[in-house]
Amino acid sequence: KTLEEPPKNVLFFLLCENSLSMLSTVRSRCKKVFLKPFGQEEIFAFLQKNFAQNQNNQYIASVSDGNIGKAIRLISDEDFLKANEKAQKIVDAVKTGKNTDCVFALLELEDDFLTLIEDKIHALFVLEPEKYLLRLKAISDAKSAKKINVNKTLIQQKLAYELVKGGKKWQK
């Protein structure tokens, strides 16, 4: 009733990600305004202002999909921060091309973790595509092998080797 006959000088702001989730009677009384996502630079500036002590601000800004709320959730998610730190250690080993054992010890085959590593390597791929293309393919292959129930340890060993050695042939 309030939407049908609002008080004078009153504006209602109804926010939703999917307007179809609202009743059609409510939608018919609304004017749609589409908001663009925030840019990565704006989110980074926000995080620097409000979470200056966090060294992951740049990365979190890049994976927040233009959503400041998501960035805030990620910055306070201890599991995400630990996984991000572990993924960064793997990527650092990948950059040097050494220490397959270190990568194997840190490597988890959970899809979210593999995607996290994939995102970090993709950022390097933009800088040096020829060096990181086979590493990205190795992650994709590991995800596929996992879906068809290949031995987890075998996938882990092969992926660790291919990440460090850049896609060179692996043999047990």
Side-chain angles (χ1 to χ4, degrees), residues 31-157:
K31 178 180 179 176
K32 289 183 184 178
V33 177
F34 295 96
L35 304 174
K36 295 187 315 185
F38 288 97
Q40 186 174 330
E41 304 79 28
E42 293 169 303
I43 293 177
F44 177 68
F46 173 83
L47 293 175
Q48 284 297 95
K49 179 180 178 188
N50 294 287
F51 302 94
Q53 76 285 0
N54 193 310
Q55 67 272 18
N56 295 312
N57 287 347
Q58 186 68 48
Y59 178 70
I60 289 173
S62 73
V63 298
S64 64
D65 302 322
N67 185 326
I68 287 182
K70 182 177 180 179
I72 293 169
R73 282 190 300 278
L74 289 176
I75 214 160
S76 58
D77 183 343
E78 289 297 319
D79 291 336
F80 173 80
L81 295 174
K82 286 177 186 173
N84 185 51
E85 186 177 315
K86 191 189 260 189
Q88 189 58 51
K89 287 179 184 175
I90 289 173
V91 171
D92 291 342
V94 167
K95 282 190 217 175
T96 63
K98 298 177 182 166
N99 209 344
T100 305
D101 293 335
C102 167
V103 172
F104 176 75
L106 293 171
L107 196 56
E108 295 175 22
L109 293 179
E110 301 305 318
D111 287 337
D112 290 344
F113 189 70
L114 289 176
T115 300
L116 189 60
I117 295 170
E118 193 172 29
D119 289 345
K120 289 178 172 293
I121 291 178
H122 193 269
L124 298 172
F125 171 78
V126 173
L127 302 173
E128 300 178 73
E130 65 287 342
K131 185 173 180 183
Y132 294 104
L133 180 62
L134 291 174
R135 290 174 170 99
L136 288 171
K137 183 183 179 319
I139 293 171
S140 176
D141 291 348
K143 287 179 178 180
S144 297
K146 191 176 151 211
K147 286 179 184 171
I148 59 171
N149 292 325
V150 174
N151 180 291
K152 210 172 182 179
T153 304
L154 184 64
I155 297 170
Q156 207 171 359
Q157 288 174 337

